[in-house]
Amino acid sequence: FVSCTGYHCPSVAHYLMERVGFSKDTYFTSILGMGCEGGFPGLRRACDYSIASGRLSLVIATELSSCTFFPEVGGIPDPENHYEILRANAIFADASASALVGWDDNPSHPYVVDSETYCEPAYLDELGYVWRNGRLRVLLSRRVPDLAPEVVSKALSRLLTRQGLGVRDSSWWIVHAAGSRVLDNIQKVIGLTDKDMELSRDVLRTYGNCSSTTIGLIGKRLMREDIRPGDKVMVLSLGPGMVGGATLLRFGDE
């Protein structure tokens, strides 16, 4: 279970066991506080567990961004916000996404081939949440759109080099829809086409930035496309830290 807005003890996963009917020997892991990038470690943890145990894993990301709505008290602007609160309240939305990880021969279910991550702690204070007045207040620096391509491209470069691939070897791209400027800058730095960005822009326009669930929403949108066996998909995640992640998927057999 992944979230940066849905803190609860027992975790949401434990309540799902009761309501969905998971077996009582289900192994739970809650990954909290990873922000928009949380879908990446969630999927990586599920893959590691399934490989090690031979059992199925279910990744669930749930973000209740509306719970972090932070009003200006008494109508007095927060002198520290630099429009952070305005941008955050306007763009973030609630959503949930899930993925089942295991093994079958269905060519419409992609293989998780490889993944890579890159963290730049110099940007630790540019993005995230802090506690103020008993509630979460967003930190959303105006520098994020410029910093995002740096961490994402470094993770991507390492993965492509290890796999002996180039940017154009991926048929599809799932890029975390953090905002229009973030998508613009990532597209420019990596050298992606407008077609590569269509799915991410469509999800941003329709649902907004849904934090760690966003790559799941884009992935579901991808399943409506004309996917062919052998198609490769590159998933780019981004979050506080700042951290960029790259995950390579492949459909069917080449």
Side-chain angles (χ1 to χ4, degrees), residues 38-115:
F40 175 88
L43 182 61
R44 183 70 265 173
R45 176 71 181 105
C47 290
D48 290 344
Y49 178 76
S50 290
I51 291 171
S53 69
R55 301 175 66 182
L56 297 176
S57 298
L58 181 64
V59 188
I60 301 172
T62 298
E63 297 295 359
L64 306 174
S65 300
S66 57
C67 291
T68 68
F69 177 80
F70 195 96
E72 293 178 333
V73 180
I76 301 174
D78 184 338
E80 298 180 16
N81 69 21
H82 302 296
Y83 294 102
E84 290 172 320
I85 294 175
L86 174 63
R87 290 194 297 267
N89 289 346
I91 195 172
F92 283 103
D94 297 349
S96 187
S98 63
L100 184 66
V101 178
W103 298 267
D104 65 20
D105 297 321
N106 189 331
S108 67
H109 297 162
Y111 292 94
V112 180
V113 179
D114 198 0
S115 63

Side-chain angles (χ1 to χ4, degrees), residues 207-251:
Y207 301 106
N209 181 345
C210 299
S211 193
S212 69
T213 71
T214 307
I215 58 172
L217 299 180
I218 303 170
K220 185 173 183 178
R221 174 68 179 78
L222 170 65
M223 302 303 284
R224 305 201 318 243
E225 300 297 310
D226 183 22
I227 303 168
R228 301 183 180 185
D231 279 0
K232 295 181 179 64
V233 182
M234 189 64 69
V235 182
L236 301 182
S237 55
L238 171 71
M242 285 179 66
V243 180
T247 302
L248 176 64
L249 309 178
R250 176 173 58 82
F251 283 90

Side-chain angles (χ1 to χ4, degrees), residues 37-220:
E37 197 255 349
F40 175 88
L43 182 61
R44 183 70 265 173
R45 176 71 181 105
C47 290
D48 290 344
Y49 178 76
S50 290
I51 291 171
S53 69
R55 301 175 66 182
L56 297 176
S57 298
L58 181 64
V59 188
I60 301 172
T62 298
E63 297 295 359
L64 306 174
S65 300
S66 57
C67 291
T68 68
F69 177 80
F70 195 96
E72 293 178 333
V73 180
I76 301 174
D78 184 338
E80 298 180 16
N81 69 21
H82 302 296
Y83 294 102
E84 290 172 320
I85 294 175
L86 174 63
R87 290 194 297 267
N89 289 346
I91 195 172
F92 283 103
D94 297 349
S96 187
S98 63
L100 184 66
V101 178
W103 298 267
D104 65 20
D105 297 321
N106 189 331
S108 67
H109 297 162
Y111 292 94
V112 180
V113 179
D114 198 0
S115 63
E116 183 60 77
T117 186
Y118 178 85
C119 179
E120 179 47 77
Y123 307 144
L124 195 63
D125 297 326
E126 301 288 343
L127 179 63
Y129 283 114
V130 294
W131 285 103
R132 182 173 300 175
N133 299 331
R135 65 197 312 160
L136 288 173
R137 178 203 184 278
V138 73
L139 292 176
L140 184 59
S141 167
R142 63 182 69 187
R143 298 179 63 208
V144 168
D146 298 319
L147 302 177
E150 177 184 338
V151 294
V152 168
S153 62
K154 288 182 178 178
L156 175 63
S157 178
R158 291 178 178 180
L159 189 151
L160 292 176
T161 299
R162 186 164 61 244
Q163 291 292 326
L165 299 173
V167 169
R168 300 268 42 96
D169 289 318
S170 292
S171 304
W172 307 95
W173 289 80
I174 295 175
V175 183
H176 172 55
S180 58
R181 281 190 60 211
V182 171
L183 292 178
D184 289 344
N185 291 351
I186 289 177
Q187 177 180 0
K188 181 179 180 180
V189 170
I190 295 177
L192 301 179
T193 67
D194 290 342
K195 178 68 175 177
D196 294 331
M197 305 298 291
E198 276 186 1
L199 298 179
S200 298
R201 293 191 188 280
D202 182 48
V203 167
L204 177 63
R205 181 169 52 251
T206 305
Y207 301 106
N209 181 345
C210 299
S211 193
S212 69
T213 71
T214 307
I215 58 172
L217 299 180
I218 303 170
K220 185 173 183 178

